[in-house]
Amino acid sequence: MKIDVLTLFPEMCEVVFGTSILGKARDKGIARLNAVNFRDYANNKHSSVDDTPYGGGGGMVLKPEPIFAAAEHLLDNLESPSDSADEANATPHGEGAKPRIILMCPQGRPFDQRVAEELAREKHLIFICGHYEGYDERIREHLVTDELSIGDYVLTGGELPALTVIDAVVRLQPGALGNESSAVTDSFSTGLLEYPHYTRPAEFRGWKVPDMLLSGHHANIEAWRREQSLKRTLERRPELLERAELTPKDHKLLERLKTELNEANAGNRSKEEETSF
């Protein structure tokens, strides 16, 4: 997989690209990660990449010329298929497919694990990271293929959102993780939050690891973990259950867990009412 990031702060990306899972994936050749300073493609003597908005208003708007030029330079230097037949037969996610050009912006499609899995099947991604007030609309209309948002809050620029998406995508590449099952069992990969984890010591400051995890009975441990995953999702992110792939056994477990949760909440309300007098 190849990933290019168009940014005004390539050094910010390079630090992350050389660290942890991304750094290992890069060293192994699993992911080719490249940060491009689109200021280098400015077509004026001051190398300015922004200007005041037409119609007035505060802030500065990113100009279309440097971003189009940087993206088109990457597109012009794509690895070409060996012949025209290959190009004609190229699949949407194959070597001959054009890169998806992703704009990080608040108006974009909400990013989640399903989007990460979708992007992980691509061969080449190009991210555009902006600053200032926003982008010239022609970038959105005539260059990008996707718009993504990582949440409803304001950040200084698009680099952190892009790096978040890149990390989530690269770790799904074969060989990127030391334990291939990690990507499968992580929170959200199954549509549910992950179960609790414990390690040595078995007791710390009087807090003990659940007996089930010390039993050595793998089938029972897996059943316990599934129940804990369902319970944690029900308590913290119940809306995820609407999209999760659940078995009949899961549904039965959820009914019991909902009853227990309702009883616990009712008990807590009673205690609050007693102490309020």
Side-chain angles (χ1 to χ4, degrees):
M1 165 174 265
K2 181 180 181 183
I3 298 177
D4 294 297
V5 181
L6 304 186
T7 172
L8 292 174
F9 301 95
E11 66 279 3
M12 185 176 179
C13 298
E14 286 297 337
V15 169
V16 179
F17 288 166
T19 306
S20 188
I21 297 298
L22 290 183
K24 292 177 181 177
R26 193 187 214 184
D27 291 343
K28 294 177 182 178
I30 294 168
R32 290 177 289 164
L33 307 173
N34 179 43
V36 177
N37 191 337
F38 60 82
R39 190 181 297 278
D40 295 339
Y41 295 84
N43 59 355
N44 57 81
K45 64 179 181 180
H46 299 294
S47 295
S48 61
V49 295
D50 62 324
D51 209 332
T52 55
Y54 280 121
M60 302 291 282
V61 176
L62 284 172
K63 295 162 62 68
E65 300 99 324
I67 293 179
F68 268 84
E72 288 167 353
H73 181 262
L74 292 172
L75 295 174
D76 289 341
N77 288 277
L78 292 177
E79 295 178 1
S80 301
S82 58
D83 53 47
S84 58
D86 289 339
E87 185 172 7
N89 295 326
T91 61
H93 307 293
E95 293 291 349
K98 290 185 178 180
R100 287 169 71 167
I101 302 177
I102 301 168
L103 186 70
M104 304 305 303
C105 65
Q107 301 96 326
R109 173 186 177 191
F111 179 72
D112 59 18
Q113 187 64 23
R114 293 188 181 188
V115 180
E117 292 167 359
E118 174 190 323
L119 295 177
R121 295 192 291 269
E122 300 291 336
K123 294 296 182 182
H124 189 184
L125 302 173
I126 298 175
F127 289 85
I128 301 176
C129 305
H131 275 258
Y132 313 118
E133 182 67 20
Y135 307 90
D136 186 289
E137 186 67 15
R138 289 164 289 190
I139 296 169
R140 177 180 281 110
E141 291 179 343
H142 303 293
L143 180 61
V144 307
T145 61
D146 301 82
E147 298 177 47
L148 290 180
S149 169
I150 64 166
D152 297 334
Y153 43 85
V154 180
L155 295 174
T156 304
E159 285 76 17
L160 292 176
L163 291 169
T164 298
V165 175
I166 291 167
D167 185 276
V169 168
V170 170
R171 70 193 315 279
L172 293 173
Q173 298 301 304
L177 300 179
N179 182 351
E180 291 302 320
S181 67
S182 295
V184 177
T185 59
D186 281 345
S187 287
F188 304 113
S189 291
T190 62
L192 303 173
L193 299 184
E194 199 172 11
Y195 50 80
H197 292 278
Y198 296 89
T199 188
R200 295 179 180 83
E203 183 174 343
F204 173 68
R205 295 183 178 178
W207 303 313
K208 297 181 179 180
V209 173
D211 291 337
M212 177 60 69
L213 297 178
L214 305 176
S215 68
H217 195 298
H218 297 296
N220 288 347
I221 290 172
E222 288 304 311
W224 179 88
R225 285 174 169 171
R226 184 65 176 181
E227 179 174 338
Q228 293 299 311
S229 183
L230 289 165
K231 180 180 179 182
R232 182 161 287 188
T233 305
L234 176 64
E235 293 173 343
R236 304 183 184 190
R237 294 289 304 278
E239 76 280 4
L240 294 176
L241 295 169
E242 297 175 7
R243 296 187 301 170
E245 296 181 4
L246 303 176
T247 66
K249 186 176 181 180
D250 290 334
H251 285 290
K252 189 174 181 179
L253 264 175
L254 276 172
E255 288 303 315
R256 176 171 64 79
L257 291 170
K258 287 177 183 177
T259 300
E260 292 175 357
L261 182 60
N262 290 335
E263 290 175 351
N265 289 337
N268 291 334
R269 284 193 296 269
S270 296
K271 290 180 181 179
E272 290 174 1
E273 292 171 357
E274 290 174 2
T275 57
S276 62
F277 289 103

